[in-house]
Each structure stands twice: as C-alpha cells, then as structure tokens.
Amino acid sequence: MISRNRRLRTNDSIRSLVRETTLTTNDLVLPMFVTEGHNKKEAISSMPGVFRQSLDLTVQTIKENYSLGIKAVNLYMKVSDNLKDNTGKEAWNENGLMQTAIRTIKDAIPEVIIMPDVALDPYSIYGHDGIIKNGKIDNDSTVDALVKMGVSLAEAGADILAPSDMMDGRVLAMREGLEQNGFTDVGILSYAAKYASAFYGPFRSALDSAPVDNQEIPADKKTYQMDFHNSREAIDEVLRDVEEGADIIMIKPGMPYLDIVSKVRELITQPIAVYQVSGEYAMLKAAAQNGWLDNDKVLIESLTSIKRAGADMIFTYAAPEVAKLLNR
C-alpha cells in the first residue's frame, strides 16, 4: 500500500503534531448562579459540583477560575419571589442583584469578561421569557423590556449582553438601544438558535424559572424557542440575528445539535458559541459517578467534539475542572 493512514497515529507526539482541533482554556465560558445573602453556598442536586452562591463567594470563585485561565463568566440570578411579576421590571432595577453583581465583579476583577443573561424568566411570576398578554407571550412589549434590561446591564459594566429569550427583532432593538445610550463597545451574544429542549431541566430547577402550571398561559416555551425537529429554521434565525447586529451567535444545546453548529459554521464568519447545557452536564456526571464513564476523558472528548463542529467558545459548567485538566 502506498497510503497507510496509521503512519500518522504511530505515537502521541505525531498524533499531537497533526491534530486538527485543540481545546484550550481560552475556549471556556463559565455559567454561574448568584443568589441573595452572604457566605451562602447552595448545592444544586441535579448538577454535581455546581452551586448557587452569594455574591461574595461568586467573586472569590471567579478570581480562582481566572487564575486557571477562564476569562469569561455568564451570569444568572436567583430572584426572590417577592420581586417577580408579569412585567419583569426588577430586571432593569439599577440596584438589582444582577446589576450589583456586575459592578462588584468588575471592581474586583476588571479583566474578566462578564456576559449577563438577558431574559425575563427569572423575574417572571409565570416563568416565561416574555410578558403575558391575553394568554400569550407578547413579542413586542417583551422586546421593549429586554432593551431596558440590556441598557441597565451595560450601565452596570457588562461587556457582552447574552439575550436568551428568542423574541423576534430583539437583537436589532437592543443594538439600537445600546448605540443610543453610548454603549457602542458593548457586544451582543445572541442565542440565535435556542431549541425548546428537555435538556434544560436541571437549569430551571436551579433558578426556579420553569413555566408555572397555569391553564391560561402556555405550558412550555415552544412558541418562542425552536422546534428541535428543524434545522433550516436555525439557519434563518442565525442569519437574521447577524443582520441585526449580533457580534457572536449561540447555538443551544450542544452535543445533540452539532449538526446545526457545523451547518452554521459554513455560512457565517462571526464567532459561534455553543452551550453544553445542564442536562448534558448532569448526564455525564451521573454516568461518571456510577463508574460507567471516565469523568475526565468524557469531559475533554465532549467539549472537543463541540469545538471540532465549529464552535469558537463553549459555555460549560465543567469549565473549572476542564481548565485544571488542560493545565496539566
């Protein structure tokens, strides 16, 4: 035989030399859950190793992870029930938990990139990403609220807004709102292709943000998040958000949707973010805890597969332990 593909697999040195995809700490973004209080750390039972933490412990954790090479965090707030309503107005309270968290983190670690979640579900009494009108999620009033929230987070010091709501037209409206208020350097990471997925379960438990059981409103998020049977629709969503001014686009969830990542990578030049969501993380952790899988190896392999498909950055709850593995 003239051609023997195994020649380039002979040993680790040559395999490393011809390796096509490399995973580094520069690829990692850490999602974090912040709650009210001081010195408070609450374990999330469905996500081993992940916690809701008060702001003082959040800052400490970010410092530790920054030293590992994790340069970006994606923030979510556990909002008190008494602050929730149908308008989500707590989302743009200048003294709200998210705004306070951004200012505090920036003061402590100015170099870290803060990507706050922009969505109303943590602030909604209904657990939906939008404002309910006549039993439906009203797109345009929700977009207006999201713009208020985005500008408020930019004022607090956010580097990149991460709207995860999937309302139509919100990227353009947010971009215009930022420009009009002088925040020309604040980026938008749009959840452009966010599917209505069963893999979000542990996350919704962590934030108490699942849709409430009420026959007068939608029982799920399928009227705005995407149908998981579709792929062409994802292309349309991505291209629309790029046209509206998104700096980075998100595809979510991760591994079950790598076909979408690959297709989008062929079509756009903008950076692609992929979210290894709570259900993916929980499955790998459960299998590893039962001795069915090697925790370290499957974490690296799963994230590398996402990178290989075309991702430029990966949101993962495993970022700290993956960073430690990579730093070895």
Side-chain angles (χ1 to χ4, degrees):
M1 286 185 285
I2 295 174
S3 177
R4 292 180 182 268
N5 289 349
R6 288 181 58 195
R7 292 188 191 115
L8 300 183
R9 304 177 197 146
T10 304
N11 55 54
D12 188 61
S13 295
I14 196 165
R15 289 193 296 271
S16 300
L17 191 65
V18 299
R19 186 160 290 153
E20 300 171 29
T21 305
T22 304
L23 182 71
T24 76
T25 57
N26 292 328
D27 302 318
L28 304 176
V29 179
L30 176 62
M32 301 187 73
F33 302 113
V34 183
T35 190
E36 296 280 5
H38 182 79
N39 195 31
K40 192 174 182 180
K41 188 173 185 178
E42 302 170 340
I44 300 170
S45 60
S46 57
M47 300 171 68
V50 180
F51 303 88
R52 285 183 296 265
Q53 297 185 118
S54 53
L55 186 50
D56 54 321
L57 296 184
T58 299
V59 170
Q60 180 181 325
T61 301
I62 293 174
K63 285 182 178 178
E64 294 169 356
N65 290 329
Y66 193 85
S67 69
L68 295 174
I70 300 171
K71 302 179 178 70
V73 294
N74 174 222
L75 297 180
Y76 298 88
M77 301 296 116
K78 175 68 171 67
V79 180
S80 300
D81 288 344
N82 65 303
L83 297 176
K84 297 181 180 183
D85 62 12
N86 184 36
T87 70
K89 64 180 182 298
E90 178 64 18
W92 55 90
N93 176 3
E94 64 177 346
N95 296 312
L97 182 57
M98 179 74 90
Q99 288 78 355
T100 302
I102 293 170
R103 288 192 295 266
T104 303
I105 294 167
K106 270 298 179 185
D107 287 343
I109 321 111
E111 303 86 1
V112 74
I113 300 299
I114 301 178
M115 303 178 178
D117 180 59
V118 183
L120 299 185
D121 51 330
Y123 305 89
S124 168
I125 54 173
Y126 298 115
H128 273 290
D129 293 55
I131 295 170
I132 303 292
K133 287 187 177 180
N134 300 318
K136 298 179 180 180
I137 286 81
D138 186 75
N139 190 91
D140 295 0
S141 62
T142 299
V143 169
D144 292 340
L146 293 170
V147 172
K148 293 178 185 177
M149 181 180 183
V151 171
S152 176
L153 300 182
E155 289 174 342
D159 298 285
I160 299 173
L161 303 181
S164 62
D165 56 286
M166 288 296 288
M167 296 297 127
D168 292 334
R170 91 278 207 216
V171 173
L172 178 58
M174 199 169 293
R175 185 73 268 163
E176 290 176 342
L178 292 171
E179 296 288 319
Q180 291 166 4
N181 285 276
F183 297 110
T184 56
D185 292 333
V186 174
I188 297 177
L189 185 156
S190 167
Y191 286 57
K194 181 180 180 181
Y195 284 84
S197 171
F199 284 94
Y200 302 146
F203 173 94
R204 290 175 180 167
S205 297
L207 285 186
D208 187 25
S209 62
V212 299
D213 185 10
N214 185 324
Q215 294 182 352
E216 297 180 1
I217 63 172
D220 52 42
K221 302 190 177 187
K222 293 180 180 179
T223 65
Y224 45 101
Q225 294 179 358
M226 284 184 51
D227 184 344
F228 65 80
H229 300 84
N230 298 348
S231 61
R232 295 192 301 272
E233 183 185 9
I235 303 302
D236 182 55
E237 290 280 1
V238 167
L239 295 179
R240 285 174 185 269
D241 282 6
V242 167
E243 185 178 355
E244 290 183 14
D247 302 284
I248 305 168
I249 69 98
M250 169 73 83
I251 296 169
K252 181 181 180 182
M255 285 183 66
Y257 297 86
L258 295 188
D259 59 319
I260 307 300
V261 179
S262 181
K263 289 179 180 180
V264 170
R265 179 72 291 163
E266 297 296 322
L267 294 173
I268 69 170
T269 58
Q270 286 75 10
I272 295 175
V274 173
Y275 205 132
Q276 184 186 56
V277 299
S278 58
E280 297 175 72
Y281 174 87
M283 288 193 305
L284 294 178
K285 283 297 180 183
Q289 287 181 346
N290 277 284
W292 300 334
L293 293 174
D294 182 307
N295 178 78
D296 296 353
K297 290 180 180 179
V298 296
L299 284 178
I300 296 296
E301 184 178 343
S302 64
L303 297 185
T304 301
S305 74
I306 293 172
K307 184 89 183 289
R308 188 184 65 240
D312 297 284
M313 64 193 75
I314 304 169
F315 288 49
T316 175
Y317 302 98
E321 59 182 312
V322 170
K324 292 174 184 176
L325 293 171
L326 294 174
N327 289 335
R328 289 179 193 169

